[in-house]
Amino acid sequence: MENKRIAYSILELAIISKGESVQQTLHNALAVAKEAEKLNYKRIWFAEHHNSENIGSNATSLLMGYVAQNTQSIRVGSGGIMLPNHSPLIVAEQLATLAHLYPHRIDLGLGRAPGTDQETARAIRSDFMEAAHSFPGEIEKIQQYFSMENQSAKVRVPIAEGLDVPIYLLGSSTDSAHLAASKGLPYAFASHFASTHLFNALRIYRDEFQPSDTTAAPYTMAGVNVIVADTDEEAERLFTSTIRMFIGLLSGSRGALQPPTELNADLKQALQHPALHQMLKFSFVGSVETVRTQVREFVKETRADELIAVSNVYGLEDRLKSFRLFAEVMREL
């Protein structure tokens, strides 16, 4: 374990803080990416969500282009593009365009969920359910468009053929583990909100993995909530914004990310609620020393190759500091 170097990355949802505009939120995402690049984070990925007034990551590929244009070396990707919402051909065209503009820096993470409610999913694509059931085949279409062998096909994406755009499969269940293993793709698990099946999914993925042309051995990424500050008390205070956000998700009263408060008795009690406790199970909150201990145990248990951190902190400066301190944790592991 001591000889294994764990990569560390960022998953950006562009959560809108109370009092901030969408524009400022997207500018903040770029500020995070620039800081992450200085700190040797491996990649920053953008999620895809729809019909939420407090999430700015709707048009994933556009955000990828914005950040890639304004950084130099950090990998930029989708975490993920929700494939049933899109035509595989259009996805291949968009990602290939990015890969030509920013060579060897673009990742394509693909998910099956809609990233929204069912009514909105139908508004995005009327045959969403059919596309979701066809997810394995839709992935194969994208792989085909990026393949040199597709040059003789009637339907082509010529700018994609032969390009270096690695595909990652995203998931939060054991179904995704079976699929990622059978296709020989790197596997990113959404344990930052879906902790229940993490260990079972990782076991299935490693046991069933079939080497592919792009991936010779299993590669696992695990999502974690991370808030690091100078002291445990300050980190816990910052964490209250995340707690309230998840309470809102569970209660159906979603709002902008709230300013932090003291971690009072009511919030401590809410954290013990089974649903909230399960969703936030893999949250590493505290000083560098505290988080280092938490992360070391998590990596030991999961044997993850890479951690991808979500940090829903209200203020940009506190958020940047958290990512700086988390990089310190990861460098010392």
Side-chain angles (χ1 to χ4, degrees), residues 9 15 47 53 62 75 92 107 122-123 126 173 219-220 230 253 286 305 318 325:
S9 300
I15 300 290
E53 59 183 309
L62 293 181
R75 296 193 69 91
D107 298 330
R122 288 192 293 271
S126 60
S173 70
Y219 189 88
T220 56
D230 289 331
S253 58
D305 298 290
D318 287 330
L325 294 176

Side-chain angles (χ1 to χ4, degrees), residues 154-312:
K154 287 186 177 180
V155 179
R156 296 173 59 197
V157 181
I159 65 168
E161 290 162 5
L163 271 188
D164 171 31
V165 180
I167 295 176
Y168 295 75
L169 191 67
L170 280 57
S172 58
S173 70
T174 53
D175 288 347
S176 56
H178 291 295
L179 183 59
S182 68
K183 291 190 174 296
L185 293 173
Y187 183 43
F189 194 89
S191 37
H192 59 290
F193 71 88
S195 64
T196 307
H197 301 292
L198 172 64
F199 293 102
N200 200 22
L202 293 180
R203 179 188 58 77
I204 289 169
Y205 171 69
R206 292 183 178 118
D207 287 350
E208 298 182 4
F209 184 83
Q210 299 294 316
S212 65
D213 292 341
T214 58
T215 311
Y219 189 88
T220 56
M221 299 167 63
V224 290
N225 298 294
V226 172
I227 298 178
V228 197
D230 289 331
T231 66
D232 289 351
E233 291 74 20
E234 175 60 14
E236 288 171 356
R237 192 181 74 84
L238 296 175
F239 188 44
T240 59
S241 301
T242 300
I243 297 169
R244 286 191 169 88
M245 184 184 81
F246 275 85
I247 290 173
L249 287 173
L250 290 170
S251 65
S253 58
R254 303 181 183 187
L257 193 67
Q258 298 296 306
T261 62
E262 295 308 308
L263 183 59
N264 59 33
D266 287 344
L267 289 176
K268 289 179 180 178
Q269 185 177 358
L271 276 174
Q272 299 309 309
H273 186 281
L276 188 61
H277 179 75
Q278 197 66 37
M279 291 182 83
L280 291 173
K281 182 176 181 179
F282 299 122
S283 297
F284 307 137
V285 178
S287 64
V288 168
E289 293 75 15
T290 297
V291 171
R292 183 188 299 121
T293 300
Q294 295 169 338
V295 169
R296 183 181 286 120
E297 185 63 26
F298 181 79
V299 169
K300 181 180 177 182
E301 291 177 350
T302 61
R303 295 183 288 124
D305 298 290
E306 183 173 342
L307 300 186
I308 186 159
V310 181
S311 186
N312 294 313

Side-chain angles (χ1 to χ4, degrees), residues 142-156:
I142 290 182
Q143 290 176 313
Q144 187 63 32
Y145 292 136
F146 277 100
S147 167
M148 292 297 290
E149 286 71 51
N150 207 51
Q151 289 179 325
S152 59
K154 287 186 177 180
V155 179
R156 296 173 59 197

Side-chain angles (χ1 to χ4, degrees), residues 115-156:
T116 188
D117 57 274
Q118 291 300 318
E119 192 170 349
T120 305
R122 288 192 293 271
I124 294 169
R125 184 171 174 176
S126 60
D127 63 342
F128 172 83
M129 291 308 297
E130 181 181 333
H133 289 307
S134 304
F135 184 56
E138 300 286 271
I139 294 173
E140 288 171 11
K141 289 179 184 177
I142 290 182
Q143 290 176 313
Q144 187 63 32
Y145 292 136
F146 277 100
S147 167
M148 292 297 290
E149 286 71 51
N150 207 51
Q151 289 179 325
S152 59
K154 287 186 177 180
V155 179
R156 296 173 59 197

